[in-house]
Amino acid sequence: MKKLLTYGFSLTLSLFLMAGCSGSDSKKDTSTTNNTGTTIPEINVKQATTTLSSGYGAYNFGQVNLGSSSSAVTFTIENLGTGSLTLSNPSMTSGHTSDFAISTSGISNTIAAAGSTTFTVTFTPGARGSRSAVLTITDNDSDEGTYTITVKGTTAIVSTIAGSGTATSTDGTGTAASFNTPWGITLDTSGNLIVSDYYGHKIRMITTSTVVTTYAGNGIQFNTNGASTSTSSFQRPNGVVFDSSGNLFIAENHMIRKITPAGVVSTLAGNFNSTSTDGTGTLASFNFPYSIAIDSSDNLYVGENYKVRKVTPAGVVTTFAGTGAYGNADGATSTATFSQTIMGVAVDASNNVFVVDSSNHKIRKITQAGVVSTFVGSATSSSGYADGTGTAALFTSPQGIAIDSGGNFYVTDFGNGGCIRKVTPAGVVTTIAGSGTPGSIDGPGNSASFNSSVGLVVDALGNIYVADSGSHKIRKIVP
């Protein structure tokens, strides 16, 4: 296809805010003379070294917290042709135009052959959620037609939905209610939150309208079963999870407790001993079960000291991974070793089990084929704070873990001010909320603070709920 010399048409650059940038447009005519030999301009737009092709160009601002701005991102306009390229200043023409500021300071509106000029875009979200706008350039390259580039960004905001901050266990609405060291947290099918109130020795429920009630437990520190949730008792309950039939399971005091939808409380497995013995029902024992998750067949996975245990719906308990010795060895489940504190467990759609090996400062992956590996976090069990990929990322005493519908994990980084870390299925770690300084401040993600965050759960909309143990509150992160 030969180029025709035409001047004064509009070029709209569409920067799709998605991860990464696309390659060049294979349909583009890159000739720089027309059929009469006349020289013509040839526009090309790049971000860093990546060409943003017509209709396919992509750039991702990622998450920027409300009240903050991204760094200014530089885009380069090149003239790859042999004729002079003239252009207007870039402008935002539709969408959330005020969220994306263009700086054209120093831009050249006439670019000689083989020359270039630059402009920058800064993202400052004006509201929570997804934001987008269209950026347009008018120029005299006859070949391109219209480019559409949608620049987008997202925000995160942290709020307190329940809990006064006082270490008591009082029912009420929102911040009029109180918790005494909330620990585990999960969701029922109606969107209600279920929270284990560790030192309140109760299981609490938070409705979608933030009304807090006692779901089970009389507040007496013991392990009493029975047909009534109001007369049953619990002793420092930890992780909580529902099965597909609506039964709630609680990891606590060397046992796995069960509450049916009818309110009957029983012990599924375990007893008062801490010997970590395989077996069925109360003949099995656990060594301080902290965390619990469930797979697609309703098998439970329990994180305890040095091991991960598996519990079938019939209450048959086996050792899923770990020798019972302290260590950091990957490999077969029968020889792999873990630290004393497996504080979080999650199961993905393929029934791979991910555990928070807290004292080793990492997240481990266990396949159903029986292989243990380090997913993210230091291979040498070093603590620290660093975003990154795989073993380049660092955590300090991470605690809870939850998974969203897209297979992304969220981890409470207890030793780094309780900040909330996101881990993609590819192992890319970023921080989505938390300043790194312990506290209980609501607000934009990177200026909010947490105080000993432990359990967390993600709803169908991607909202994250955090049991902020040290603040005695339940916090919500809107992405």
Side-chain angles (χ1 to χ4, degrees):
M1 174 179 176
K2 295 292 186 180
K3 283 187 148 189
L4 299 177
L5 183 62
T6 305
Y7 292 93
F9 73 99
S10 292
L11 169 68
T12 302
L13 297 178
S14 295
L15 302 170
F16 292 96
L17 183 87
M18 302 178 348
C21 297
S22 71
S24 61
D25 183 358
S26 60
K27 298 179 181 180
K28 179 180 175 68
D29 182 353
T30 57
S31 61
T32 58
T33 60
N34 66 11
N35 57 4
T36 65
T38 306
T39 58
I40 58 175
E42 179 74 25
I43 190 171
N44 187 58
V45 178
K46 300 174 75 174
Q47 198 288 307
T49 60
T50 302
T51 293
L52 304 174
S53 305
S54 174
Y56 302 98
Y59 182 77
N60 186 354
F61 275 96
Q63 178 191 299
V64 176
N65 292 320
L66 199 65
S68 301
S69 298
S70 71
S71 298
V73 176
T74 300
F75 296 87
T76 301
I77 304 173
E78 299 176 321
N79 182 4
L80 303 181
T82 54
S84 179
L85 176 69
T86 60
L87 52 98
S88 66
N89 284 340
S91 62
M92 295 294 170
T93 56
S94 64
H96 304 117
T97 57
S98 61
D99 289 18
F100 299 89
I102 300 172
S103 174
T104 56
S105 176
I107 193 171
S108 174
N109 298 109
T110 302
I111 307 173
S116 64
T117 191
T118 61
F119 65 95
T120 64
V121 179
T122 303
F123 172 45
T124 305
R128 289 182 290 182
S130 297
R131 313 292 289 172
S132 64
V134 175
L135 184 149
T136 300
I137 298 173
T138 300
D139 70 90
N140 68 328
D141 179 348
S142 63
D143 185 51
E144 297 298 345
T146 300
Y147 277 70
T148 52
I149 302 181
T150 304
V151 287
K152 292 184 179 180
T154 59
T155 64
I157 193 75
V158 179
S159 62
T160 297
I161 65 164
S164 64
T166 302
T168 56
S169 190
T170 305
D171 292 341
T173 299
T175 56
S178 62
F179 297 84
N180 192 349
T181 316
W183 199 274
I185 186 168
T186 192
L187 282 158
D188 69 12
T189 55
S190 298
N192 301 304
L193 292 165
I194 303 297
V195 179
S196 61
D197 204 356
Y198 188 83
Y199 284 122
H201 310 294
K202 296 178 181 179
I203 309 300
R204 315 289 293 284
M205 183 170 78
I206 308 172
T207 68
T208 55
S209 55
T210 72
V211 176
V212 181
T213 57
T214 297
Y215 185 81
N218 56 18
I220 297 173
Q221 184 180 345
F222 200 62
N223 303 96
T224 305
N225 294 322
S228 172
T229 54
S230 61
T231 58
S232 62
S233 62
F234 298 86
Q235 187 170 184
R236 296 190 296 274
N238 291 293
V240 287
V241 70
F242 280 101
D243 70 6
S244 60
S245 299
N247 298 297
L248 179 68
F249 297 90
I250 305 108
E252 60 140 31
N253 193 34
H254 314 305
M255 301 177 188
I256 306 302
R257 309 286 294 284
K258 176 181 178 179
I259 305 174
T260 70
V264 177
V265 180
S266 62
T267 299
L268 175 68
N271 51 57
F272 288 100
N273 297 318
S274 59
T275 52
S276 193
T277 304
D278 290 343
T280 300
T282 56
L283 296 178
S285 60
F286 295 86
N287 186 2
F288 291 97
Y290 298 106
S291 50
I292 192 168
I294 199 161
D295 70 13
S296 59
S297 299
D298 281 344
N299 296 299
L300 297 168
Y301 297 86
V302 179
E304 64 170 22
N305 286 341
Y306 314 113
K307 292 182 182 179
V308 180
R309 314 289 294 284
K310 180 177 180 178
V311 187
T312 70
V316 179
V317 181
T318 55
T319 297
F320 185 65
T323 65
Y326 188 100
N328 182 35
D330 289 334
T333 53
S334 59
T335 58
T337 52
F338 298 85
S339 73
Q340 185 177 356
T341 47
I342 300 177
M343 299 300 294
V345 184
V347 181
D348 71 8
S350 299
N351 288 331
N352 297 303
V353 179
F354 293 80
V355 300
V356 179
D357 195 353
S358 185
S359 295
N360 280 324
H361 313 293
K362 62 176 65 178
I363 312 302
R364 316 278 291 276
K365 177 181 178 180
I366 311 170
T367 68
Q368 290 295 328
V371 178
V372 179
S373 60
T374 297
F375 180 49
V376 291
S378 168
T380 59
S381 299
S382 298
S383 62
Y385 172 79
D387 289 337
T389 301
T391 56
L394 294 176
F395 299 82
T396 299
S397 302
Q399 301 281 306
I401 185 169
I403 187 169
D404 68 14
S405 59
N408 300 293
F409 296 93
Y410 300 87
V411 177
T412 51
D413 199 354
F414 186 91
N416 283 313
C419 61
I420 311 303
R421 316 288 291 278
K422 178 181 179 179
V423 187
T424 70
V428 179
V429 180
T430 55
T431 301
I432 64 165
S435 64
T437 301
S440 185
I441 299 172
D442 290 335
N446 60 3
S447 61
S449 58
F450 298 85
N451 191 1
S452 305
S453 55
V454 184
L456 73 172
V457 69
V458 188
D459 71 13
L461 298 176
N463 300 306
I464 304 162
Y465 299 89
V466 181
D468 195 354
S469 179
S471 294
H472 311 290
K473 297 177 179 180
I474 307 301
R475 316 286 293 282
K476 179 180 180 180
I477 305 171
V478 178

